[in-house]
Amino acid sequence: MNPKTSKAMWQHTFDGLRPEQIDAEWVARGGGLEAYVFDGKDLTDASDWQALEKSLRHARGLGVKKLTMHFPTDHADWVHDARTFTDLRRFCELAAEYRADGVVLHANQFVDQADWLSFDLPAARERVTERLGVLDEHLRDTPLWIGIENLPVIGAQGIDYDSVFVYPEDFRVLTALNSPRIGVTWDLCHWAVTCTTAASIAQLHQRQAGVTPLDLPPLPVRHIHFASFAGHAMPFWRGECFEGATPQDGEVGGELLARMLRNAIDAAAGTSPEGVGVVFEVQETDYLRREKCWETLDWVNIRPELSELNDMREGPRG
């Protein structure tokens, strides 16, 4: 990719069933949005779907330039559960109706720590790939992309895994679909957690880690999630990993984190006329009075390799 063609549009995420979480000023300045439904149980009733549609209408009414959607992660095994797969298709159809660019999707194959050593990862990837093929065929007449997200090497509490797609090579199985629709949502927080964990383990074994922070998957990067982290989760050890720290407060050095982000943006160059969507997945203290996404934007604006990509209008906040 030619870095000179790289463009990005900064997004913030919001609970797709609570449109009041949308920061109208963010949108007015040219920022994008990602509507995230957290739990599959939140899409049980007709009223839930109506609430999601109301949020999407509200976002479009504000004039948002880039809109993406994130399918539930908890209680949402779309690979094995027929009802959840039907919900996934409906979710994607709604995304297409409201002209969302794409849908972010996790594998959602959670495995408890006690069962992990006997879990057949290659077989799980094949099942996910097969189901994605069915979804791809269902969506063939829409311009929607599906961005499969990389997950960290272990859950934030160190007690379970959803590690079907963690390392770049894990995505190679999806190239068999030969689909222009199926791509990757590259989560830089998750990749930073994975790289630092792999480096620590490799150090103990006196070997190289085998991965670097700038590695990318063989499938096209269609979308990016961005944040830092604090703390590590490891099996059998107390402690948690806090995902969603701002770049200023996380454990990854600012220079490296900026290089990782620019590297991913360059890899996605040309995938969207207005630029690849970069979602600031930072955890807010109060989602009705956002501060962390604005702090992240401030950080982006002082990084030369990133500020040149910024089209959001500047000025004092209202």
Side-chain angles (χ1 to χ4, degrees):
M1 293 291 183
N2 180 357
K4 292 182 179 179
T5 66
S6 298
K7 296 173 63 179
M9 180 168 286
W10 318 121
Q11 301 174 253
H12 80 61
T13 185
F14 72 99
D15 184 336
L17 304 183
R18 297 186 62 195
E20 64 271 19
Q21 287 189 357
I22 296 175
D23 188 322
E25 183 171 352
W26 184 270
V27 176
R29 293 201 186 185
L33 300 171
E34 179 156 293
Y36 193 156
V37 179
F38 295 91
D39 195 311
K41 292 181 178 180
D42 291 336
L43 292 176
T44 302
D45 300 324
S47 59
D48 300 328
W49 290 96
Q50 291 167 1
L52 177 57
E53 191 166 1
K54 179 182 178 182
S55 287
L56 299 177
R57 276 199 308 271
H58 179 61
R60 283 302 181 199
L62 290 173
V64 67
K65 293 182 179 179
K66 182 176 285 291
L67 176 65
T68 54
M69 293 174 62
H70 197 311
F71 190 68
T73 52
D74 295 344
H75 305 106
D77 184 358
W78 54 272
V79 178
H80 297 101
D81 184 73
R83 177 174 177 175
T84 303
F85 187 68
T86 298
D87 287 344
L88 173 58
R89 291 190 299 183
R90 182 176 180 180
F91 193 86
C92 292
E93 290 164 1
L94 198 60
E97 180 181 348
Y98 282 88
R99 307 184 312 283
D101 285 19
V103 169
V104 179
L105 186 62
H106 292 198
N108 290 352
Q109 302 301 294
F110 294 98
V111 183
D112 288 338
Q113 185 186 89
D115 300 322
W116 178 245
L117 293 182
S118 61
F119 184 68
D120 191 339
L121 269 171
R125 291 190 190 107
E126 290 292 344
R127 289 193 296 272
V128 172
T129 302
E130 180 181 356
R131 209 62 166 146
L132 278 174
V134 177
L135 180 65
D136 183 48
E137 176 63 21
H138 180 73
L139 299 174
R140 64 185 178 188
D141 295 327
T142 74
L144 204 67
W145 51 252
I146 303 296
I148 308 303
E149 183 174 343
N150 62 301
L151 275 292
V153 69
I154 191 170
Q157 294 179 312
I159 59 174
D160 62 5
Y161 303 79
D162 184 9
S163 296
V164 175
F165 298 105
V166 172
Y167 297 96
E169 278 302 305
D170 296 345
F171 289 89
R172 191 167 297 280
V173 65
L174 299 180
T175 62
L177 293 173
N178 194 30
S179 169
R181 184 184 321 283
I182 306 297
V184 175
T185 292
W186 193 241
D187 189 303
L188 290 168
C189 175
H190 292 162
W191 184 234
V193 170
T194 299
C195 282
T196 53
T197 304
S200 297
I201 294 171
Q203 181 79 2
L204 294 174
H205 288 278
Q206 293 185 308
R207 59 176 173 79
Q208 297 295 317
V211 294
T212 78
L214 299 182
D215 289 345
L216 291 168
L219 216 63
V221 174
R222 303 300 302 267
H223 192 52
I224 297 168
H225 283 176
F226 179 67
S228 190
F229 72 93
H232 273 81
M234 295 290 286
F236 318 119
W237 288 81
R238 291 183 179 179
E240 296 187 10
C241 178
F242 176 79
E243 298 177 6
T246 63
Q248 297 94 323
D249 296 332
E251 293 189 10
V252 185
E255 181 177 347
L256 175 58
L257 198 57
R259 286 174 59 207
M260 291 173 67
L261 179 52
R262 181 59 192 255
N263 183 56
I265 291 171
D266 287 348
T271 59
S272 174
E274 68 275 14
V276 61
V278 179
V279 178
F280 293 164
E281 271 203 328
V282 289
Q283 292 197 33
E284 300 281 358
T285 303
D286 183 347
Y287 284 87
L288 300 181
R289 295 175 179 83
R290 292 179 180 271
E291 296 293 339
K292 300 301 183 181
C293 62
W294 290 100
E295 290 176 15
T296 303
L297 182 63
D298 290 340
W299 181 87
V300 164
N301 284 335
I302 65 172
R303 296 283 166 180
E305 64 269 63
L306 300 173
S307 61
E308 67 180 11
L309 306 174
N310 185 20
D311 286 334
M312 286 186 69
R313 293 185 293 277
E314 297 184 14
R317 290 178 57 193

